[in-house]
Amino acid sequence: PLTQRQAALVVSDAAHYWAFTLLLCSRERWAPPRLASRVGLSGRSVAAALAGLERAGLLARDAEGSYCPHIGRLVTYPRDELYLPKLRRVLRGHWDEMTARRGKVLFEQGVLIRAPEEAVRRLLPALVAGVNGSHIYSLRDGGPDTGLVACTALVRRIGGL
């Protein structure tokens, strides 16, 4: 798991988040200009992010470029109840911004039902299993049709209507 300090650094801005996330999901070594080009951010911000992530022990560097020694591991963020809602908002912001600039929504499905919350909560384990199961498709090597994909589930109580 990431410490509170490491997690705060990773989500502090788009350059830190995308540098860490892309390197965590890639066996490749990344030089700052190439990484900046891939994520569509300035070379200066990406170079600073790589250096900060390296100081925090999240990335390493060799002659070929920066890499993540934690590749292939499931990295978890702190689970403090006060911390998670803010973290989720920040992550959604990074995802939404990058999707708007370079991505697309591949699928969205929704249904509006009237049901007791207790009954709906019995559905949550199946949703968690489905979202977590998407991990079996995760690759560590790039290819012509690979990309980062955010698989999420959201169950929203609209109100006492």
Side-chain angles (χ1 to χ4, degrees):
L2 298 176
T3 66
Q4 289 269 3
R5 196 170 129 228
Q6 288 172 324
L9 177 66
V10 168
V11 301
S12 64
D13 62 30
H16 283 84
Y17 178 74
W18 292 114
F20 177 68
T21 301
L22 187 57
L23 270 68
L24 178 66
C25 297
S26 176
R27 287 184 233 258
E28 298 175 69
R29 303 304 206 248
W30 291 83
R34 181 170 166 245
L35 182 59
S37 174
R38 177 64 59 96
V39 298
L41 299 170
S42 77
R44 177 181 280 178
S45 67
V46 168
L50 290 170
L53 292 163
E54 187 178 333
R55 282 192 301 275
L58 295 172
L59 298 181
R61 187 176 5 163
D62 62 18
E64 296 176 48
S66 294
Y67 66 95
C68 184
H70 311 291
I71 185 170
R73 294 185 185 156
L74 178 62
V75 173
T76 58
Y77 288 85
R79 298 188 77 69
D80 182 305
E81 291 304 316
L82 296 173
Y83 186 73
L84 275 179
K86 179 183 177 200
L87 173 66
R88 286 187 183 117
R89 283 192 304 275
V90 171
L91 289 177
R92 273 193 216 108
H94 289 320
W95 295 348
D96 290 347
E97 185 272 334
M98 186 62 79
T99 301
R101 282 193 310 112
R102 298 203 162 200
K104 61 185 175 184
V105 174
L106 296 177
F107 175 81
E108 185 173 353
Q109 174 70 38
V111 63
L112 181 64
I113 62 172
R114 184 176 211 168
E117 185 173 323
E118 178 185 330
V120 173
R121 286 186 176 277
R122 291 194 296 264
L123 170 67
L124 300 182
L127 291 175
V128 169
V131 169
N132 290 344
S134 66
H135 195 270
I136 66 171
Y137 299 103
S138 185
L139 303 174
R140 300 292 176 230
D141 296 311
D145 191 37
T146 61
L148 295 177
V149 178
C151 297
T152 65
L154 173 67
V155 177
R156 175 188 322 226
R157 183 176 176 136
I158 304 284
L161 306 175

